[in-house]
């Protein structure tokens, strides 16, 4: 199996941090809104100083949640990186992913309909790319590989798909 570059771990950690930050911001906003409504409903008062005391336990718990989630994800991302890879066989491509639930996907070259190379802003910064492979059954991706390797893989898969295409 061909492994992904080591810097892919850094990109996945950044993506996890941004996801957790966004979810925490949304959760914090909802928590503040709900606790405010509950406080106003229970006390029937508009004393904002007491409201801040009401918020204190909820916000303290909310501050610890993203730290705990990201600490759990930090090591898991590094370990999961070892189980990701792809291999070009004679008639198909093998894609391997997963840490706890491992998945091996086999795509026949004859079934490939489209191959694209996509890079996001964080991937461009770390010189990585994603190859997406479309078939009639769905779409698979080889994420976080070198851009030159991605373009070569796209060209190679396109050529193999063209050669092995079934007659209609």
């Amino acid at each position: 199996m061909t492994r992904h570059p080591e810097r892919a771990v850094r990109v996945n950690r950044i993506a996890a941090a941004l996801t957790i930050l966004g979810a925490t911001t949304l959760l914090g906003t909802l928590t503040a809104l709900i606790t405010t409504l509950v406080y106003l409903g229970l006390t029937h008062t508009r004393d904002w100083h007491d409201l801040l005391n009401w918020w204190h336990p909820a916000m303290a718990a909310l501050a610890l949640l993203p730290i705990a989630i990201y600490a759990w994800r930090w090591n898991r991302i590094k370990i999961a990186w070892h189980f990701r890879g792809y291999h070009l066989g004679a008639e198909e491509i093998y894609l391997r992913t997963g840490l706890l639930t491992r998945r091996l996907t086999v795509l026949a070259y004859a079934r490939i309909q489209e191959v694209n190379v996509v890079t996001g802003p964080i991937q461009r910064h770390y010189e990585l790319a994603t190859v997406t492979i479309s078939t009639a059954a769905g779409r698979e991706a080889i994420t976080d590989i070198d851009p030159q390797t991605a373009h070569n893989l796209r060209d190679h898969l396109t050529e193999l798909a063209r050669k092995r295409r079934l007659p209609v």
Side-chain angles (χ1 to χ4, degrees), residues 86-89 92-95 107-110 112-116 131-134 142 149-165:
Y86 65 94
H87 175 72
L88 298 174
E92 58 272 321
I93 182 169
Y94 301 91
L95 307 173
L107 298 174
Y109 296 135
I112 294 176
Q113 294 177 344
E114 182 181 31
V115 182
N116 292 318
V131 177
T132 58
I133 304 166
S134 300
I142 303 171
T149 304
H151 290 290
N152 292 342
L153 186 61
R154 179 199 58 203
D155 296 340
H156 187 65
L157 287 174
T158 303
E159 186 61 32
L160 289 171
R162 189 175 295 122
K163 285 180 184 177
R164 289 172 174 78
R165 186 139 309 136

Side-chain angles (χ1 to χ4, degrees), residues 1 28 33 36 47-48 50 53-54 60-61 75-76 78 81 85 88 96 100 116 124-125 132 140 146 150 152 162:
M1 287 278 170
L33 179 65
T36 301
D47 187 7
W48 294 102
D50 289 338
N53 290 335
W54 179 268
N75 287 328
R76 197 172 146 243
K78 176 72 173 176
W81 174 78
L88 298 174
R96 183 179 67 180
L100 298 176
N116 292 318
R124 278 193 299 274
H125 179 73
T132 58
E140 295 293 332
D146 290 316
N152 292 342
R162 189 175 295 122

Side-chain angles (χ1 to χ4, degrees), residues 2-4 8 12 80-86 96-98 143-144:
T2 304
R3 289 262 177 101
H4 299 278
N12 286 319
W81 174 78
H82 291 288
F83 297 105
R84 290 174 47 196
Y86 65 94
R96 183 179 67 180
T97 58
T143 59
D144 300 332

